Amino acid sequence: MTTRREQNRVDTVFVEINGNRLAVELTGPEGAPAMIVHHGAPGLGSRAEPRRSFGPFADRMRVLVFDARGSGESGDAEPYTHAQWVADVEALRRHFDLGKIVMAGGSYGGFIAMEYALAHPENVSALILRDTAANTKYDHLAVERARTTDRVTIPEWIIERIGTGNFTGNEQFREYWQGILPLYDHDYDPAVVARRVAETPYHYRTHNAAFGENMPKYNLTPRLPEISCPALVVVGRHDWRTPVPAAQEIADLIPAGELVIFEKSGHSPQLEEPELFQSVVRDFLARSGVLPPEADRP
């Protein structure tokens, strides 16, 4: 079953996928090369960020953004596993008959993007990974940075819950998010943090499963050399959560991987340096053969 709703001039389509309702937005010209973008932060993230970051590519591509199972406006049917989220991406690709896709993902969405490329290599023309990691070996650095930052004072109970998935309800989850959000951007703006806290849809059970159950066993490092498609890995120089070494490791291990560091960004160069981000991605897509070079456009 598919239902539609008009939201900010973009059609939101609600689709039954693998027994769960997903909120989806699909834009761009029919027949153009397709891209699916997976948001990060299970239980906190939504299609709003990928829409803003990758929406501009709909001038030349078919761009699909969606709220993952257990996030945003999508349904909360379990399980919240990487295998299920990968299966949902594949079902969306089939449902909308997108053919071979560019798979993109940021932060936790990057985990799912890499796992999708490993599970369905025949369906991926290129991979775009933003501020992500292939394992958990850098997580302790995030805790150290939260404890030593001079930007804000973060309560110890919040620091102790970073990456643990240990929340008792959405109100506690909201307090946690409010506490760590000041660390994400290169330039701290309290008004921006307050707005993001207010706009975030909270699903604490999804987050608990993602970080309490999935992450302790997460390690894609041995399998990254299997990824055969071109891969662009971007990261903010000042990313507190998934630092430059984590991105470098991915780019080094994927045979056709390349790394671009954004010098004036934290965890979100796609939002902090949007014009440069879009330029870098367009250049990558042209060099990868997904899009013709800008000079060749009619």
Side-chain angles (χ1 to χ4, degrees), residues 181-193:
L181 258 180
L183 301 177
Y184 276 85
D185 292 340
H186 178 240
D187 298 318
Y188 170 47
D189 185 337
V192 171
V193 167

Side-chain angles (χ1 to χ4, degrees), residues 159-177:
I159 294 172
E160 291 174 352
R161 281 171 172 77
I162 293 173
T164 66
N166 183 21
F167 297 97
T168 58
N170 282 333
E171 185 55 39
Q172 185 190 55
F173 193 27
R174 184 182 187 277
E175 288 184 50
Y176 166 83
W177 190 227

Side-chain angles (χ1 to χ4, degrees), residues 182-229:
L183 301 177
Y184 276 85
D185 292 340
H186 178 240
D187 298 318
Y188 170 47
D189 185 337
V192 171
V193 167
R195 185 179 72 246
R196 288 180 182 170
V197 170
E199 293 174 350
T200 295
Y202 296 93
H203 301 250
Y204 80 97
R205 289 187 177 90
T206 310
H207 196 83
N208 282 354
F211 287 93
E213 300 171 20
N214 299 341
M215 291 310 294
K217 55 192 175 185
Y218 173 70
N219 182 12
L220 292 181
T221 310
R223 298 199 61 197
L224 290 184
E226 300 174 31
I227 296 177
S228 58
C229 67

Side-chain angles (χ1 to χ4, degrees), residues 51-221:
R51 179 205 303 136
R52 180 178 168 189
S53 306
F54 287 89
F57 296 94
D59 63 340
R60 305 181 69 192
M61 300 189 72
R62 199 84 168 129
V63 178
L64 187 151
V65 300
F66 68 106
D67 292 347
R69 175 184 301 259
S71 293
E73 292 185 293
S74 288
D76 289 328
E78 297 182 19
Y80 308 133
T81 63
H82 291 193
Q84 183 62 67
W85 284 319
V86 166
D88 289 348
V89 172
E90 174 60 7
L92 284 169
R93 187 192 69 83
R94 290 175 176 267
H95 180 87
F96 291 99
D97 193 22
L98 296 180
K100 206 164 188 176
I101 62 170
V102 173
M103 185 67 216
S107 196
Y108 203 110
F111 309 164
I112 308 306
M114 286 184 279
E115 297 217 30
Y116 181 85
L118 288 166
H120 301 281
E122 71 283 358
N123 298 334
V124 182
S125 58
L127 194 57
I128 300 173
L129 306 170
R130 190 268 305 164
D131 295 84
T132 191
N135 51 52
T136 61
K137 71 181 184 182
Y138 301 98
D139 284 7
H140 69 284
L141 297 176
V143 175
E144 292 174 12
R145 287 168 180 158
R147 187 165 280 130
T148 59
T149 183
D150 59 3
R151 179 170 285 187
V152 292
T153 299
I154 302 177
E156 186 62 26
W157 75 265
I158 289 178
I159 294 172
E160 291 174 352
R161 281 171 172 77
I162 293 173
T164 66
N166 183 21
F167 297 97
T168 58
N170 282 333
E171 185 55 39
Q172 185 190 55
F173 193 27
R174 184 182 187 277
E175 288 184 50
Y176 166 83
W177 190 227
Q178 186 172 18
I180 65 170
L181 258 180
L183 301 177
Y184 276 85
D185 292 340
H186 178 240
D187 298 318
Y188 170 47
D189 185 337
V192 171
V193 167
R195 185 179 72 246
R196 288 180 182 170
V197 170
E199 293 174 350
T200 295
Y202 296 93
H203 301 250
Y204 80 97
R205 289 187 177 90
T206 310
H207 196 83
N208 282 354
F211 287 93
E213 300 171 20
N214 299 341
M215 291 310 294
K217 55 192 175 185
Y218 173 70
N219 182 12
L220 292 181
T221 310

